[in-house]
Amino acid sequence: HTIMVPYGPLAFFEGHLEHTGEILTQVSSEWFVLQTPKQALRTVDRREARLRKDQSDVSKEAWELEQRRRVTLGERPDMRSATEGVETLPSGASLHTDADGFIDIREPYECPAEEKPPAPRPEEPAPEPLDGP
């Protein structure tokens, strides 16, 4: 298609439209891919969703760091879910302030998965059980 391309406020020159249904999309720091508009929109949607999740994770972490800073400086923590002096942080940790001003911090303990002993190799015979005395 022949068109007139604007060149500044007073000038135009003749140009041609080619490949109008293709969008050059950056997939990494040095790699670009030609995509259809539908594919490019899906790429943008995925990136937006990932950025929203990252933003919420960072704001949650910033809030927790602010609460820890307040605890170390001796300030009263923000009691978002306060019940009888107990605050539960989003990470699952709980802060309890007693009458003397002592703060008890409890964090959930995650047990590591028990490791199973490696299975015997097929070329090695399994060890025979020992007879008891």
Side-chain angles (χ1 to χ4, degrees), residues 1 16-23 35 37:
H1 298 308
H16 298 281
L17 290 178
E18 295 178 2
H19 305 286
T20 58
E22 297 175 350
I23 297 173
Q35 292 183 331

Side-chain angles (χ1 to χ4, degrees), residues 1-131:
H1 298 308
T2 303
I3 61 165
M4 295 302 290
V5 179
Y7 187 73
L10 302 174
F12 290 88
F13 65 91
E14 191 174 302
H16 298 281
L17 290 178
E18 295 178 2
H19 305 286
T20 58
E22 297 175 350
I23 297 173
L24 191 62
T25 308
Q26 185 175 8
V27 292
S28 72
S29 62
E30 298 177 4
W31 292 90
F32 293 85
V33 175
L34 284 174
Q35 292 183 331
T36 64
K38 188 176 183 179
Q39 292 171 329
L41 280 174
R42 285 192 300 219
T43 302
V44 168
D45 290 340
R46 283 192 304 270
R47 289 180 182 176
E48 276 185 311
R50 189 184 74 228
L51 288 173
R52 281 191 195 103
K53 181 187 176 301
D54 289 347
Q55 183 181 19
S56 70
D57 291 347
V58 166
S59 63
K60 175 181 157 183
E61 186 175 346
W63 182 82
E64 287 182 356
L65 287 172
E66 175 65 21
Q67 297 310 307
R68 289 181 184 186
R69 183 194 66 81
R70 287 181 176 195
V71 166
T72 31
L73 293 177
E75 298 175 7
R76 180 97 177 144
D78 181 17
M79 302 299 271
R80 284 193 180 177
S81 61
T83 23
E84 300 177 14
V86 177
E87 175 187 4
T88 304
L89 301 176
S91 65
S94 63
L95 296 174
H96 180 271
T97 308
D98 65 6
D100 296 327
F102 290 103
I103 298 175
D104 180 28
I105 304 172
R106 296 187 182 197
E107 296 181 346
Y109 175 71
E110 297 176 13
C111 296
E114 291 186 27
E115 295 181 15
K116 296 180 181 177
R121 295 183 192 169
E123 61 269 5
E124 293 180 14
E128 295 182 19
L130 298 174
D131 292 331

